[in-house]
Amino acid sequence: MRLAASLFVLAALSIPPAAQAADVAAGKAIFDATCHNCHSLSVGVNEVGPSLWHIVGRPSATAQGYMYSDALKNLHREWTVEELDAYLEKPRKDVHGAQMYFKGLPKEKDRQNVIAYLLSQQ
C-alpha cells in the first residue's frame, strides 16, 4: 500500500502543473467528439490516424504499422505535454506538411483537458 501511494505521488509530480489542473472528464468529451473518429487509444490500433496509446513521452512518427507523412517522419520530436499543446493548437502551423485535416483546438483549456485525458489513459 505504501509503495502504491509513493508511486502515485511520483506520477503526479511528473505531470506538468497545467495538466494537473485540467479536467480529465472534459478532455474525454473533447477527445470523443473531435479525435476518436480518427484515432484509437488502443495499443497498435491505427485508424485514419495513428494510435495515440502512450503518446505523451513517445517519439514522433513511431506508432507501429502507421504510414506517416514525410513532415511527421522528419519531425524528430518527443511528444511532451508542451509539444502536444503546440501541435493541438494548430497542427498544420506547427508541422508544415502534416496531413491531419483537424484544424486544431484554439482554446488552451481544451488542449490541457485533452492532454490530461491522454495522460490518464497511459
Side-chain angles (χ1 to χ4, degrees):
M1 182 70 167
R2 195 178 274 173
L3 176 61
S6 298
L7 291 174
F8 178 78
V9 169
L10 286 174
L13 292 174
S14 68
I15 299 171
Q20 288 180 27
D23 183 340
V24 172
K28 180 183 183 333
I30 295 166
F31 183 90
D32 288 347
T34 60
C35 310
H36 184 70
N37 32 328
C38 293
H39 294 279
S40 167
L41 288 174
S42 299
V43 178
V45 178
N46 298 313
E47 295 179 0
V48 173
S51 169
L52 297 181
W53 174 81
H54 208 270
I55 186 70
V56 181
R58 186 172 82 195
S60 60
T62 58
Q64 293 277 330
Y66 186 76
M67 293 291 294
Y68 287 94
S69 65
D70 288 340
L72 280 166
K73 285 182 202 173
N74 296 320
L75 190 58
H76 306 295
R77 285 186 188 168
E78 180 179 313
W79 288 119
T80 63
V81 168
E82 295 78 17
E83 291 288 346
L84 281 169
D85 181 60
Y87 187 71
L88 290 173
E89 182 177 14
K90 198 167 189 180
R92 290 180 175 220
K93 176 185 175 204
D94 188 54
V95 180
H96 298 287
Q99 295 177 347
M100 188 160 77
Y101 296 105
F102 176 62
K103 292 183 180 183
L105 295 171
K107 295 180 183 175
E108 181 180 7
K109 190 64 176 170
D110 288 346
R111 295 190 309 273
Q112 290 174 359
N113 291 342
V114 167
I115 292 167
Y117 173 65
L118 292 171
L119 283 165
S120 77
Q121 299 302 296
Q122 297 197 145

